[in-house]
Amino acid sequence: MRLIIMGPPGAGKGTQAEALAERIGAAHISTGDIFRANVKDQTELGRTAQRYMDAGEYVPDEVTNAMVKERISRVDADSFILDGYPRTVDQVETLDAMLVELQRPLDVVIALVVDAEELIGRLLKRAETSGRTDDTEEVIRHRQAVYSAETSPLLEIYSSRGLLREVDGMGDIDEIAQRIDDALALEH
Ligand code: AMP
């Protein structure tokens, strides 16, 4: 299965994507995780990405697209869950071209729907333990604004293609996982 998991910062994308990847045996491709690994290893990509991440801005499309292209072309990505990508209309177009070239069409896009104030609360809670430099209140609010402006229009694009499934992202982790499985019509 090939899918994208979308949702605003704090919607629980990372947690759900990781667990779902395990359940269905797909590669979990998280652009945020790849950037953070590069920051940790102090690679050139990491140095470029860090400035944007710390400010709550998106890393430029050409950098992100090249990174995803390299990852999604590998053999283990015949089944994949994209987590945190695409985030801009340009990234959607690039992804479309990559998947045509690889002959790996998308099956579905899951969008986690979570109430805005709940999101800020979750992220502030995560900030206490995550050690992420982009989990301060100011940066969190900025990341929500960037999401609304740049990424929420993608929901309409995937909806018009008939690929979008909205899933209630409120509640506990297992409950949400069950709703995702229901949306994907996975058996238990
Ligand atoms: P995440 O872990 O998905 O919340 O991503 C953390 C940060 O990494 C974001 O705030 C961006 O700075 C950067 N990032 C992750 N994915 C992308 C993407 N698809 N396009 C641009 N920047 C991204």
Side-chain angles (χ1 to χ4, degrees):
M1 198 167 353
R2 302 183 195 99
L3 61 107
I4 298 173
I5 186 156
M6 288 188 58
K13 288 189 299 294
T15 306
Q16 292 297 337
E18 195 178 334
L20 178 62
E22 188 112 326
R23 293 201 293 286
I24 65 174
H28 173 209
I29 303 178
S30 157
T31 42
D33 284 354
I34 303 174
F35 284 134
R36 279 184 290 278
N38 277 278
V39 169
K40 190 158 164 267
D41 294 344
Q42 300 189 324
T43 66
E44 199 182 321
L45 174 65
R47 275 192 290 276
T48 305
Q50 184 161 29
R51 290 186 280 139
Y52 296 98
M53 294 171 83
D54 285 351
E57 299 286 349
Y58 287 167
V59 177
D61 285 334
E62 61 273 20
V63 175
T64 310
N65 286 331
M67 183 177 88
V68 172
K69 185 160 195 186
E70 188 281 319
R71 179 65 189 89
I72 211 167
S73 309
R74 294 194 218 155
V75 277
D76 73 319
D78 190 35
S79 265
F80 60 74
I81 299 177
L82 281 171
D83 160 12
Y85 182 93
R87 265 176 151 106
T88 64
V89 173
D90 178 272
Q91 292 179 13
V92 171
E93 288 166 1
T94 307
L95 177 65
D96 286 343
M98 285 186 231
L99 295 180
V100 167
E101 197 184 318
L102 291 163
Q103 297 184 299
R104 291 177 179 169
L106 272 180
D107 295 308
V108 60
V109 178
I110 296 278
L112 292 176
V113 181
V114 180
D115 167 83
E117 275 312 301
E118 163 89 13
L119 289 175
I120 308 273
R122 282 190 194 181
L123 286 167
L124 288 172
K125 194 153 171 247
R126 182 174 84 184
E128 292 167 14
T129 55
S130 72
R132 280 178 54 155
T133 46
D134 58 351
D135 273 346
T136 65
E137 181 157 4
E138 194 192 342
V139 176
I140 286 169
R141 290 199 184 272
H142 186 61
R143 278 161 53 213
Q144 303 295 349
V146 173
Y147 175 86
S148 298
E150 304 258 351
T151 306
S152 64
L154 274 49
L155 296 171
E156 187 48 47
I157 297 178
Y158 287 118
S159 170
S160 71
R161 295 183 190 179
L163 290 175
L164 191 71
R165 307 248 205 297
E166 291 196 317
V167 170
D168 177 5
M170 304 288 286
D172 70 43
I173 292 175
D174 292 341
E175 242 169 15
I176 301 164
Q178 179 64 56
R179 287 184 205 128
I180 292 175
D181 285 357
D182 291 346
L184 299 174
L186 293 177
E187 304 274 333
H188 275 272

